[in-house]
Amino acid sequence: MSRRLAALLIGAAAGVLVVAAAYFLFFSRPAPEAGPGAAAPARPGAAGDEAPERWTAELFFPTSAGLLAPERRELAGAGEAARAVEAAVSALLAGPETPGLLPAFPPGLEVRRALVVEGIAFVDLGRSGGGPPPASGSEEELLRLQALVHTVTASVPEARQVVLLWDGEQRPSLSGHVDTGSPLLPDPRLLAPAP
Amino acid sequence: MLSSRNVSLPARRRFALSLLLALFVAAAGVGQEAPPALTPQAGGVLVVDGGSSPLGWAAAPGGPLVSLLPVVSRLGGQLEAEPLGAGFRLELGESRAMLAPGSAALTLGEEIVPLTQAPQLLGGELLVPVDLLQRTYGDLLGLAFDWPGDGRLLVTRPRQRELPVEMELVHLQGITTLVFRFPERPRYRVRERLGGYDVELVGDRLLPPPRRTVQDPLVRAVAIGAERIRIDLAPGVRADHYELREPFRLVLDLVAAGEAVATPTLPEQRRATPRVRTIVLDPGHGGSETGATGPEGTLEKDLTLLIAQQLAARLEEQLGVRVVLTRTTDVDLGLDERAALANQLRADLFVSIHLNSSPRAGARGAETYFLSMQASDQRAALTAAAENLGQSVEPIAAGPDAELQLILWDLAQSQHLAASQRLAALIQQELNVQLDLRDRGVKQAPFRVLMGASMPAVLVELGFLSTPGEEALLRTPAHRASLAEALVRAIARFKGEQEGVAPVPPAPLEAVP
Ligand SMILES: [Zn+2]
């Protein structure tokens, strides 16, 4: 964990972060349990020694109607929730393969680190070469953040909320509109009706 | 005046604080790759009365941040951590200040004071900007804090200023407004006592104006002395005091609260009738934050400023209201600072102006948003996380409690959602007519700039810069003028409704994602 990330986990002053992160550090439970009744895409367990299995992540991308639609994607096995978040978000950043779906993020971004603690996924993004978060209008920002949150919470059942960091820092907002100072929750109103 | 020179931490809070600190130490120990945002500086010195003691500090972009704990140990007061890391409480005598790392605002009693930058927890120390010390210790103890820029924090008792003061008194519709005008902000405190209020100067002296008799139904006498303004009120009269800037004024609104039942006429009615006198317009983005960029390179931050300036002029001219812009030039300005400015000005409306962008092709038209409350979700998460730890958690959503002021500050907008929704609906109606949009309803989103605004507040997206045709249109002054005109009509309707002047049939409300 970078010092900056550590400082900001605390500096955010959100008690939930503190409690959760403290719990993680002090009691270091190996793998948080899945939420009850969560219908998760199958992901291999954290056995660890055999060859990487494949699992199915559910990535959400903007549609031409300004909503979000899922794309199921086979990803390399990762037992630990944090690695799964990292893999799913990396795939999200790389863009959709389904025709008709639109990229949620501009190119050149990467996942610096992911952490899942007590239902909260901490996702630290940045530019490959460093630099500020992408500038955008509010609809683009809303879709971007909700694509991220839906992807994480649908793909990794241990994660029910997302705290977004940029270069290890939690900001009031990524692009000047949507609050990212609190954990983000998936907003079902942005999901496109199933075809 | 100070009750204690010790830092007192009740057990539960001590636990919370030690968790914070231990977490930091544990986490920082693991760190290696990225450099921290702030570097703690060695060799800081707190200089008080010629004596000195060590002081942690850090150089931040907005100026130095200094460790609060050594100041508390030296100058007195109590610093306590709030449960679950919700912030810290600094008690100085009868005054109580609430602060939170990451929040560039300080709650002083019931007043919310914007800070130049947010306090931070760094290396296990709570670091605060120097202006926080000035607004707490400085104003209450008559001290001056000086940072010469070499790692020293100088605390001095400044020379006494002699400030001339002028008084105005207006009685309108059952409310008396008492205004004391000073050339600069004096160090003072307001104390309620039996039969009235005292404004006590701390370290400054007043040059009183010529004595005059007050004839007012609510005020018996006002005596201005060198060290104190003594205000004697009629029985049952209560005061609400606040500050206005440029020039500095201390204002007391006096109402006969006790007689409201006996004479349920004007004071109550005026209180119940919100008025729209001051409007804060917020041109979105600015400085390094460009917002959306059109295919032709048009920047959102430039057009929002142009539109806001035009709208301000029209509102002032057509509605006779006072309009203040959060920024008038191309500068960086934090989202919280924008709302804090509106709160500080006691604005009656807050309108944040933006231009949109979307990944979808052909997006067009205007959309008006009011706040969707994500904060309640955060509370639920906080409670859930605490429950997972096996701690008993009191329901956070209980009534207004001083300890929750910081949270309420975050939720300032929650009390104005209905009015914000109404304002959004009126704006959307007018924009729909202006732009020939069909069935476009108001929307809700967790927009940060709206959260702290303690007045009806909306964010309006006036078009999609990402769509070539709309970008071209938005670059036309005539189109921008027509947008401003639609906003003026909507705000005029809202003002009329609020003030009960021109009843307007309710707009259809439709909240869509
Ligand atoms: Zn914007």
Side-chain angles (χ1 to χ4, degrees):
Chain A
M1 182 185 297
S2 76
R3 285 173 61 95
R4 186 186 287 187
L5 174 59
L8 278 143
L9 286 182
I10 300 153
V16 61
L17 308 192
V18 174
V19 170
Y23 192 69
F24 176 71
L25 282 165
F26 294 130
F27 304 98
S28 60
R29 212 152 35 138
E33 77 287 359
R43 202 176 81 232
D49 46 357
E50 64 263 37
E53 297 173 56
R54 311 288 293 176
W55 65 287
T56 307
E58 207 171 1
L59 313 177
F60 284 80
F61 293 100
T63 68
S64 56
L67 294 169
L68 295 170
E71 173 182 312
R72 293 176 86 81
R73 187 82 67 82
E74 291 261 299
L75 297 176
E80 205 193 325
R83 300 289 77 74
V85 169
E86 225 171 271
V89 176
S90 296
L92 174 72
L93 294 179
E97 290 172 356
T98 311
L101 293 184
L102 306 166
F105 287 84
L109 308 191
E110 61 183 27
V111 188
R112 294 278 160 80
R113 188 187 164 80
L115 192 70
V116 180
V117 184
E118 286 297 307
I120 300 177
F122 296 87
V123 178
D124 185 12
L125 301 181
R127 275 183 203 279
S128 318
S136 75
S138 66
E139 180 170 311
E140 202 172 345
E141 186 182 10
L142 263 174
L143 286 170
R144 188 169 283 161
L145 295 178
Q146 280 297 316
L148 174 76
V149 176
H150 277 288
T151 296
V152 169
T153 54
S155 301
V156 185
E158 292 91 332
R160 296 185 297 277
Q161 310 177 45
V162 175
V163 169
L164 178 64
L165 304 126
W166 182 267
D167 280 344
E169 193 173 331
Q170 192 178 14
R171 297 171 164 246
S173 176
L174 192 68
S175 309
H177 309 97
V178 181
D179 175 46
T180 52
S182 320
L184 298 159
L185 287 154
D187 184 346
R189 296 175 301 177
L190 280 174
L191 294 182
Chain B
M1 186 180 85
L2 297 174
S3 57
S4 161
R5 292 178 66 89
N6 299 321
V7 177
S8 133
L9 292 170
R12 204 156 64 105
R13 284 147 202 193
R14 192 157 49 225
F15 172 71
L17 185 60
S18 59
L19 255 188
L20 273 168
L21 302 186
L23 171 61
F24 182 84
V25 172
V30 189
Q32 50 221 341
E33 62 273 40
L38 291 178
T39 318
Q41 307 282 332
V45 184
L46 171 67
V47 184
V48 185
D49 296 334
S52 64
S53 47
L55 177 75
W57 69 286
L65 289 169
V66 300
S67 183
L68 181 56
L69 205 52
V71 178
V72 175
S73 310
R74 195 67 196 270
L75 298 177
Q78 296 190 27
L79 180 66
E80 297 187 356
E82 292 292 296
L84 290 170
F88 293 85
R89 184 172 61 192
L90 174 62
E91 288 188 1
L92 296 175
E94 294 170 4
S95 296
R96 168 190 284 190
M98 312 274 287
L99 59 141
S103 167
L106 172 76
T107 308
L108 264 179
E110 291 178 356
E111 185 191 4
I112 289 156
V113 180
L115 299 172
T116 52
Q117 55 179 324
Q120 296 207 27
L121 272 170
L122 185 67
E125 287 186 76
L126 177 60
L127 301 180
V128 300
V130 176
D131 60 312
L132 182 146
L133 300 175
Q134 195 61 54
R135 281 310 304 265
T136 51
Y137 284 96
D139 287 356
L140 286 163
L141 305 183
L143 300 173
F145 289 81
D146 194 25
W147 181 266
D150 53 3
R152 280 181 307 151
L153 179 67
L154 307 179
V155 186
T156 49
R157 216 161 273 282
R159 71 181 170 78
Q160 235 174 25
R161 293 175 301 178
E162 288 222 314
L163 299 171
V165 52
E166 293 167 38
M167 184 183 83
E168 289 165 51
L169 183 145
V170 184
H171 184 87
L172 271 177
Q173 299 187 332
I175 296 185
T176 296
T177 301
L178 245 180
V179 183
F180 297 100
R181 189 179 169 131
F182 305 86
E184 53 190 306
R185 188 182 191 280
R187 291 179 287 263
Y188 73 96
R189 58 180 167 245
V190 177
R191 278 186 194 276
E192 186 176 2
R193 57 169 167 74
L194 201 64
Y197 290 81
D198 287 339
V199 180
E200 297 174 354
L201 277 290
V202 183
D204 288 328
R205 290 173 67 83
L206 294 179
L207 289 171
R211 211 180 166 76
R212 73 178 230 215
T213 338
V214 171
Q215 287 188 320
D216 185 274
L218 305 183
V219 183
R220 288 194 162 158
V222 179
I224 303 181
E227 287 162 359
R228 184 174 67 159
I229 302 173
R230 186 184 165 90
I231 304 159
D232 289 320
L233 300 176
V237 175
R238 291 194 51 83
D240 178 21
H241 66 89
Y242 52 95
E243 297 179 351
L244 295 172
R245 308 287 168 132
E246 292 173 281
F248 181 88
R249 284 150 293 166
L250 169 64
V251 185
L252 288 92
D253 278 340
L254 309 172
V255 280
E259 294 177 19
V261 181
T263 54
T265 50
L266 292 169
E268 281 289 293
Q269 278 171 11
R270 183 180 145 176
R271 281 281 139 141
T273 306
R275 298 180 55 178
V276 179
R277 285 176 291 192
T278 303
I279 297 174
V280 168
L281 298 181
D282 173 42
H285 311 280
S288 63
E289 254 225 57
T290 58
T293 307
E296 297 286 323
T298 313
L299 298 179
E300 181 184 353
K301 64 169 185 174
D302 294 335
L303 290 190
T304 56
L305 182 56
L306 284 177
I307 294 169
Q309 284 168 333
Q310 195 167 27
L311 177 59
R314 283 165 189 255
L315 286 170
E316 282 178 340
E317 187 188 307
Q318 296 181 32
L319 304 188
V321 291
R322 172 188 181 215
V323 182
V324 180
L325 267 60
T326 54
R327 66 179 180 96
T328 51
T329 53
D330 183 19
V331 287
D332 279 280
L333 181 62
L335 296 172
D336 295 342
E337 281 77 0
R338 296 169 194 248
L341 176 78
N343 292 348
Q344 190 184 25
L345 292 168
R346 298 199 150 209
D348 304 301
L349 279 191
F350 179 83
V351 180
S352 188
I353 294 166
H354 289 252
L355 297 166
N356 220 333
S357 74
S358 175
R360 64 192 164 105
R364 68 175 286 264
E367 285 161 349
T368 316
Y369 287 87
F370 67 105
L371 182 67
S372 69
M373 302 296 288
Q374 235 201 349
S376 55
D377 303 330
Q378 188 190 1
R379 285 178 175 183
L382 201 142
T383 309
E387 275 170 356
N388 284 345
L389 268 178
Q391 291 185 343
S392 67
V393 177
E394 290 146 28
I396 295 179
D401 177 327
E403 292 202 340
L404 292 175
Q405 285 213 7
L406 280 166
I407 294 172
L408 291 175
W409 162 236
D410 286 339
L411 300 181
Q413 180 56 207
S414 65
Q415 297 169 32
H416 303 279
L417 282 182
S420 298
Q421 182 179 15
R422 180 66 190 150
L423 175 63
L426 292 173
I427 289 177
Q428 191 61 48
Q429 278 181 7
E430 293 295 341
L431 289 169
N432 286 352
V433 171
Q434 190 73 42
L435 302 171
D436 195 21
L437 300 169
R438 252 153 263 187
D439 307 328
R440 197 83 54 112
V442 299
K443 293 186 163 192
Q444 272 186 284
F447 286 147
R448 175 82 178 207
V449 76
L450 301 177
M451 288 179 161
S454 58
M455 73 277 312
V458 298
L459 185 148
V460 55
E461 293 282 357
L462 288 170
F464 281 86
L465 266 186
S466 53
T467 306
E470 287 240 314
E471 182 191 23
L473 202 55
L474 288 162
R475 287 167 74 125
T476 336
H479 181 69
R480 294 199 299 269
S482 72
L483 292 170
E485 210 41 62
L487 291 174
V488 171
R489 285 198 303 273
I491 291 169
R493 286 175 69 191
F494 183 81
K495 183 175 190 291
E497 284 186 16
Q498 292 281 298
E499 297 172 356
V501 178
V504 180
L509 290 180
E510 182 198 347
V512 293

